[in-house]
Amino acid sequence: MGTGSLVAWWRAVVMSLAGLLCLFGTAQAGERLEVVATTGMIADAVREVGGDRVEVRALMGPGVDPHGYRQTRSDIVAMTRADLVLWHGLYLEAQMEGFLEKLARRQSVVAVAESLPRQDLLAHADHDDRNDPHVWMDPELWSQVVLVVRDALVEARPESAETFRRNADAYLDELDRLADYAREATATVPAEGRVLLTAHDAFGYFGRAYDFEVVGIQGISTQSEAGLSRIRALVDMLVDRDVQAVFVESSVSDRNIRALIEGAASRGQEISLGGELFSDAMGPDGSYEGTYIGMIDHNVTTITRALGGEAPAGGMQDRLAGR
Ligand code: ZN
């Protein structure tokens, strides 16, 4: 090799090293915060607050029941690699709790619903020392969880704090609008029709916020079985109260609900299926119902219309568009 070509070779090495360093530098500066969330509702809040500064993955997709969900091998890999892991808490992820508590000793793990003030929480029907975990059913309560998500993102990536705060403020305004719509729409349901019967007790906070008597065939967790005598007692109640509609849930089997409708029919009471509600999981990815706001809007609109109230077919979006 001559001196000229040696210099050229050296220059090439330096240039490519500089190029590599440069690439590395940009990757560091623009790197997104990697977040793993257990439920779709939490992941949605991360997406809203984090915007393009975060990359979020939900472990439980549409139709997945969190009460019985156990982490898979690939979930474990994703969680251990993540910058931040967010889970719900309040014993929602009953099968994952042990794993998540262990993980929290080694990396940033936050149970986003655990810090809600106890006086805002409903009791758990089956356990004196626990609370009902389904807090996302009340948008005003969920707004407090969004603040916890915001603070967790700020702590993990302080240099983006201003962006996270701005995004959170805008999202909280949207949640206010959602709560207004829910209040106005459900207020039109006649007093005698305000019974919300679903497969499991996920709607307690919804009932408290919008004044419905809530009855779940199964308890607060889907892990308990409803007995025949329970079904019989509920058929009596439906016939007595002249309830018009009952609801199935996207993440729970509809077997018990169908048994109820048949039981009531055999007693001459016709009860319709009011529709499918999203209780513990959101709708399909990429759809409106696959967002938290779309999920609650769908539930509010479906419940209101099935129980004799007035809500536009297209829900809150129709209302906002003046349709
Ligand atoms: Zn549930």
Side-chain angles (χ1 to χ4, degrees):
M1 206 184 280
T3 321
S5 60
L6 190 64
V7 167
W9 173 81
W10 182 240
R11 194 172 285 156
V13 168
V14 169
M15 292 291 280
S16 49
L17 265 178
L20 269 176
L21 277 174
C22 196
L23 265 179
F24 187 64
T26 15
Q28 286 288 63
E31 202 175 87
R32 295 181 180 198
L33 184 73
E34 281 190 33
V35 184
V36 169
T38 52
T39 71
M41 291 74 84
I42 299 170
D44 192 52
V46 172
R47 225 169 275 127
E48 292 288 345
V49 176
D52 57 9
R53 308 282 173 101
V54 300
E55 185 84 57
V56 61
R57 168 180 164 173
L59 299 183
M60 303 174 200
V64 175
D65 174 2
H67 301 286
Y69 188 83
R70 204 175 272 281
Q71 67 277 3
T72 65
R73 206 178 280 258
S74 74
D75 291 346
I76 295 171
V77 172
M79 283 188 275
T80 45
R81 282 187 189 157
D83 299 312
L84 177 64
V85 175
L86 300 179
W87 60 297
H88 187 81
L90 300 178
Y91 212 60
L92 179 73
E93 302 96 334
Q95 308 297 318
M96 293 180 68
E97 211 164 66
F99 174 82
L100 287 160
E101 277 165 1
K102 247 180 253 158
L103 192 69
R105 287 182 216 140
R106 295 192 286 118
Q107 60 187 94
S108 295
V109 176
V110 179
V112 293
E114 283 286 347
S115 54
L116 289 170
R118 295 287 131 162
Q119 71 264 21
D120 291 351
L121 299 179
L122 291 172
H124 194 297
D126 309 327
H127 301 272
D128 290 343
D129 56 335
R130 288 187 201 149
N131 293 104
D132 180 345
H134 303 88
V135 295
W136 57 90
M137 287 295 176
D138 174 357
E140 284 173 62
L141 205 48
W142 189 245
S143 295
Q144 297 185 47
V145 173
V146 170
L147 292 175
V148 177
V149 169
R150 178 200 65 187
D151 293 346
L153 295 183
V154 166
E155 198 178 321
R157 190 54 66 81
E159 60 271 34
S160 295
E162 209 180 308
T163 305
F164 296 152
R165 292 208 177 94
R166 204 171 41 234
N167 291 347
D169 286 347
Y171 187 51
L172 291 175
D173 284 347
E174 283 186 56
L175 294 182
D176 279 348
R177 273 202 294 280
L178 176 68
D180 288 345
Y181 169 71
R183 212 175 299 113
E184 286 163 23
T186 54
T188 63
V189 175
E192 67 276 13
R194 307 187 78 91
V195 176
L196 181 57
L197 197 145
T198 59
H200 89 297
D201 261 340
F203 290 83
Y205 292 99
F206 184 92
R208 182 179 72 177
Y210 307 117
D211 194 22
F212 285 86
E213 187 183 327
V214 174
V215 184
I217 303 180
Q218 286 171 300
I220 286 195
S221 166
T222 53
Q223 306 297 295
S224 62
E225 271 297 308
L228 271 181
S229 59
R230 170 92 177 133
I231 303 266
R232 227 174 278 133
L234 287 172
V235 169
D236 287 345
M237 191 274 286
L238 292 174
V239 173
D240 281 354
R241 307 267 308 254
D242 196 22
V243 172
Q244 304 293 305
V246 293
F247 301 89
V248 292
E249 297 171 37
S250 65
S251 54
V252 185
S253 156
D254 62 1
R255 189 167 42 101
N256 288 329
I257 287 289
R258 296 199 181 274
L260 267 191
I261 293 176
E262 279 163 30
S266 72
R267 309 254 309 262
Q269 170 90 352
E270 198 178 315
I271 293 173
S272 65
L273 196 57
E276 185 185 63
L277 303 179
F278 298 111
S279 53
D280 289 359
M282 306 192 301
D285 286 338
S287 70
Y288 176 55
E289 289 78 12
T291 66
Y292 170 75
I293 287 179
M295 162 196 199
I296 300 298
D297 182 3
H298 168 91
N299 289 349
V300 166
T301 305
T302 303
I303 290 167
T304 300
R305 289 169 68 91
L307 296 179
E310 281 164 37
M316 182 171 67
Q317 294 188 318
D318 275 8
R319 175 75 47 95
L320 292 174
R323 287 192 285 260

